[in-house]
Each structure stands twice: as C-alpha cells, then as structure tokens.
Amino acid sequence: MNNRNRFFPVDAIAWGVLLFALSAQAQEQAPPSLDDQITQLSREINQQQREILSLKKRLTQLEMSRRGRGVTAWDAAQINTPSSAAATGDTGGASDAASAQDGGTAAIGQTQQQQKNTAAAYRSPSENAVVQEQHAPLFDKKLTIDAGVSYGYYDRRQLALTGFLALDAIFLGNINLSETKASVWTFDVNTRYGINDRLSVSLDVPYLYRSSDFISAGAGGAATALSDQSKNAGSIGDVTASVYYQFVKESATWPDIVGSLRVTAPTGTSPFGIKFTSPADNNNLNFPTSLPTGNGVWALTAGISVLRTYDPVILFGSLAYTYNLPRSFSDISPIPSVVTPAKVKLGDVLQVGAGIALALNDRTALSLSYSAAISQATKTQAPGEGYVTVPGSSSNAASLNVGLNYVINKHWTFNGYFDAGMSPDAPNYVIGIRFPYTF
C-alpha cells in the first residue's frame, strides 16, 4: 500500500506527458479551422489591395507627369482609399493598409511639391469634352474627326421710303415693305491632330445648302399684292486650316492659355458679281439669280483663349481678330448688263466671347456662353480711284449659346448647341449637333 502511494506521482506525470504528446500530435494533424482560413484569406486580399493601390499611385503620377500636371486632391482621395481590412475585422491588415496610406500620402505630397508649378485640377470626361469644344482642340498626339450639322434661320424685314416730306408732315412717294427669309444647312467635317502636348492642327471643310425666299409688296401695281421668289443653292464653303499652340498649361496659379492662327481660303461661291433681277409684274422686288456659299476673300484670324477649371465649373473666354485680305474682282455690280471691276476690302472682324460650363457628372456637362462679332464697314476701290465705304456694311452680330456635352464612350462624344440671336445682324437662331470621334 505504501509502495503504491509512493510511486503514484511518477505514474501521473508519465500519463500527463503521454496525453500532452498525443494532443499536440492531434493538433498538428487536424486541418485549420474556418476562422483561420478566413483570416488568412483576408490578409492575402489586403496585401493584393495594397499592391494595387501602389500601382495605381505610380500610374497616376506617370499620367499626370506626362500631361504636365500634378496629382490632385481627387487623385489623392482615390489613391488613399482605405482598404476593406476594417470591414473584415483584420486589425493587422488594417494597420498595414494605414501604413501604406501614410506612405502614399507622403509620396503624393512629394510629387505635389515637385510639380507645384504645373498642378491642375482633375478633369472628368465631360469637362474634357467642354475643353476640346470651347478651348483647346487636341494636345495629346491623337486624331479626332469631328462631323456636325447645323441649321440657321434668318428673317429680315425692311421698310423702304422713296420720296420726300411736304410741309414736314405729308410723305409723297413710294413705300415698299420687303422681307427675306433664309435657311442655311451646314455640313462640315473638322479633322484635328495633336502633334505634341502643346501643338495641334486642324482642317475644316464645310458644305452649305441655302434656301431663301424674297417677298415684296406691289405685285401688279397693287400695294397689298405680294410677290414671292425662292432661290436654292448648295456648294462647298470656305475651307479653314488652323494651328493651335498652348502657351501656358493650367496650374494652381495659371489658367490654360491657347493661341490660334487660322487661314480661310475662298473656296466657296463668291457673293461679288451676282446679278439681281425683278419679276415682270413687280419692280419693287429684287432678288439674286444665285446664292453665295463663301465670303470670296482670303482671311487670317489670330486668337487667344483662356480656360480655368474649378471642378465642377469651367470658365472660358476668347478674343480673336480677323483680317480680310483685299481682292480684285472683274465685276462686282449687281445690275445686269453692267460690268464694274473693283478691289474689295471686307471689313475686319473683332470677336469676343465668354462662358461657363457645369459638369453634371462624369459624362454630362452644360454650358452657357455669349459671343459677339463686330465687323467694320466694307470698302471698294475702282481702278485708278481711292477706297469708298459701302453704306450700311458694318455689323454687330451677338448671340447667346446654350450647349450640352455628353461623353458616349472613350471614342465618341455628343455635342449639341442652340444659338439665339441677340442683335439684328445675327441669325434668329442656330441649332446644331456634332459627333467628335477620337482614335
């Protein structure tokens, strides 16, 4: 009895060691629990997310560096988005993600410091569509074909008095009221190409179809009877070649500043030398035998445009001056059987405009702008004589524009606009759509 009690502790220790060894072996051979598997997968996912964020940060920096722009607050927010480690309850993964976020923030701060003079606001696709339409056509070595169609309507009424006042109260003579209604369809294709990140060129080829109605009273000698004559014409318009250069890229302190130089060739039908005629029953009505589709002279236009992005608002403005080169014509007389050679100097044109655009989302933007084209008077010069100003040839055409830009995909963009005439010299309205395609 005493001997068994004396050896009992030794037996108990041996049994304990044996049970511990068996338990350890069972744990080594048992598969990991479901919680352990979830934890391991969460850590692997967090690691992959950190690698993706790091690659995204590097890609954003490369893209911004290529554009001459710094990393913006929007990009920083996208790069520093916390991982889903907290949602999975993996505190270790969340801590690693926070460390990666701090490192990303430091890298972004360093990049912003290096590029503080060229940092610009992030532009969404809809904002880029506004920029290309209103300001800088193309500066990234891409080809864009911009096809569009527009419809413009003109309605003019003119009261002509031929006679004199008797006793300062009674008019003696003829009173003639004439009206002109004109519709102009314009189909054009504008091809643009970015040579580098500051220089781009474009070529615009338009086709015009015009339809005009000329109405005047006095048919058959009756003051209330009207005569109506219609004319239609369709032909290529004046072709324009342009060069754009970006002097200043948008930064934290400077807006985009783009200069342009355009040359317009008189490829359309000239308005000079077109003869006017009258119907047999109404001498009050004079209408042209054909309709022009161009200005008839070479023109040089120098302009500058400024654009500033305040996401989601874009402010833009432009100033341009067009110089019309003098050109000699063998005949400028509208009277049949009369030939009048002369040199014509169309009045130069000053164009000003300003507007604002609002990006509704990444694909859609609305714009509102005002523009005016102030034209000087036209002058003619007969052989051997001086220039003579054509009465009533100066004009001021002002219009209010409402536009819509919608990005269909990375290649297609839809641009719609409506121009309302704000002065008698401007069209009543112009409505058009365009479909730029970027390769």
Side-chain angles (χ1 to χ4, degrees):
M1 185 71 179
N2 293 331
N3 292 333
R4 186 171 54 184
N5 291 336
R6 183 162 50 94
F7 290 101
F8 176 76
V10 177
D11 296 338
I13 293 174
W15 280 105
V17 172
L18 178 61
L19 291 175
F20 179 77
L22 293 175
S23 176
Q25 183 178 3
Q27 290 180 357
E28 291 178 358
Q29 295 177 354
S33 64
L34 181 59
D35 293 338
D36 294 337
Q37 295 179 8
I38 293 176
T39 301
Q40 181 64 24
L41 289 175
S42 298
R43 290 178 178 176
E44 293 179 358
I45 292 174
N46 291 332
Q47 179 64 27
Q48 292 176 357
Q49 288 179 345
R50 290 193 295 271
E51 293 177 357
I52 292 174
L53 289 174
S54 177
L55 292 175
K56 183 177 180 180
K57 180 189 68 176
R58 293 177 58 188
L59 177 61
T60 302
Q61 292 175 353
L62 289 174
E63 289 181 350
M64 293 302 174
S65 176
R66 180 175 63 85
R67 299 177 186 174
R69 307 180 188 277
V71 180
T72 65
W74 187 92
D75 299 305
Q78 298 299 312
I79 295 173
N80 294 330
T81 301
S83 66
S84 58
T88 61
D90 183 7
T91 57
S95 176
D96 294 339
S99 300
Q101 177 176 343
D102 295 339
T105 304
I108 292 170
Q110 183 179 3
T111 303
Q112 288 178 333
Q113 182 66 24
Q114 293 174 351
Q115 300 180 348
K116 63 181 181 179
N117 294 329
T118 58
Y122 169 79
R123 289 173 182 166
S124 64
S126 59
E127 291 173 336
N128 282 328
V130 175
V131 171
Q132 290 193 16
E133 181 185 14
Q134 302 288 347
H135 172 63
L138 203 66
F139 294 108
D140 51 2
K141 293 185 179 180
K142 292 183 179 179
L143 176 66
T144 295
I145 297 180
D146 187 357
V149 57
S150 65
Y151 171 77
Y153 177 76
Y154 306 74
D155 187 355
R156 298 290 180 268
R157 289 176 173 85
Q158 183 177 5
L159 178 64
L161 303 177
T162 304
F164 62 94
L165 287 176
L167 304 177
D168 294 332
I170 302 174
F171 178 78
L172 301 178
N174 295 325
I175 301 178
N176 179 39
L177 177 64
S178 61
E179 181 179 5
T180 301
K181 298 180 180 181
S183 297
V184 180
W185 289 90
T186 303
F187 307 88
D188 72 297
V189 177
N190 187 298
T191 303
R192 303 190 293 265
Y193 181 74
I195 298 177
N196 53 43
D197 63 341
R198 288 185 180 270
L199 183 66
S200 68
V201 294
S202 70
L203 180 67
D204 184 76
V205 181
Y207 180 88
L208 277 70
Y209 178 80
R210 303 185 59 176
S211 177
S212 299
D213 292 333
F214 304 91
I215 305 170
S216 181
T224 58
L226 299 177
S227 294
D228 186 355
Q229 295 290 331
S230 299
K231 282 294 179 182
N232 301 322
S235 175
I236 189 174
D238 291 344
V239 175
T240 301
S242 307
V243 177
Y244 299 87
Y245 185 79
Q246 190 172 31
F247 292 102
V248 179
K249 292 180 180 291
E250 184 176 8
S251 64
T253 56
W254 285 90
D256 264 349
I257 302 178
V258 175
S260 62
L261 180 63
R262 298 189 293 271
V263 178
T264 302
T267 54
T269 304
S270 172
F272 304 105
I274 295 179
K275 303 300 181 180
F276 280 65
T277 186
S278 300
D281 60 342
N282 188 357
N283 292 330
N284 292 329
L285 177 60
N286 294 317
F287 62 93
T289 56
S290 61
L291 299 176
T293 59
N295 290 331
V297 298
W298 287 85
L300 299 176
T301 302
I304 188 170
S305 61
V306 180
L307 183 141
R308 182 67 170 173
T309 304
Y310 298 98
D311 189 24
V313 175
I314 297 178
L315 302 179
F316 53 88
S318 62
L319 177 66
Y321 187 85
T322 300
Y323 175 76
N324 294 301
L325 278 68
R327 185 181 179 186
S328 297
F329 295 89
S330 59
D331 183 20
I332 64 170
S333 174
I335 303 175
S337 69
V338 176
V339 176
T340 305
K343 178 182 290 186
V344 177
K345 173 63 176 70
L346 288 182
D348 297 339
V349 183
L350 176 65
Q351 296 173 304
V352 294
I356 182 173
L358 174 63
L360 303 180
N361 51 48
D362 285 346
R363 290 179 175 268
T364 309
L366 292 175
S367 62
L368 179 67
S369 62
Y370 180 85
S371 62
I374 304 172
S375 177
Q376 301 176 2
T378 298
K379 299 179 180 180
T380 60
Q381 183 185 35
E385 300 180 4
Y387 277 104
V388 177
T389 301
V390 178
S393 57
S394 61
S395 64
N396 186 344
S399 62
L400 183 67
N401 174 277
V402 179
L404 172 66
N405 306 95
Y406 179 75
V407 179
I408 301 174
N409 53 43
K410 66 179 181 179
H411 296 292
W412 285 105
T413 302
F414 168 81
N415 298 328
Y417 60 91
F418 176 82
D419 292 342
M422 305 297 293
S423 66
D425 296 321
N428 292 30
Y429 65 86
V430 178
I431 185 171
I433 57 174
R434 306 196 67 85
F435 293 92
Y437 182 87
T438 301
F439 291 89

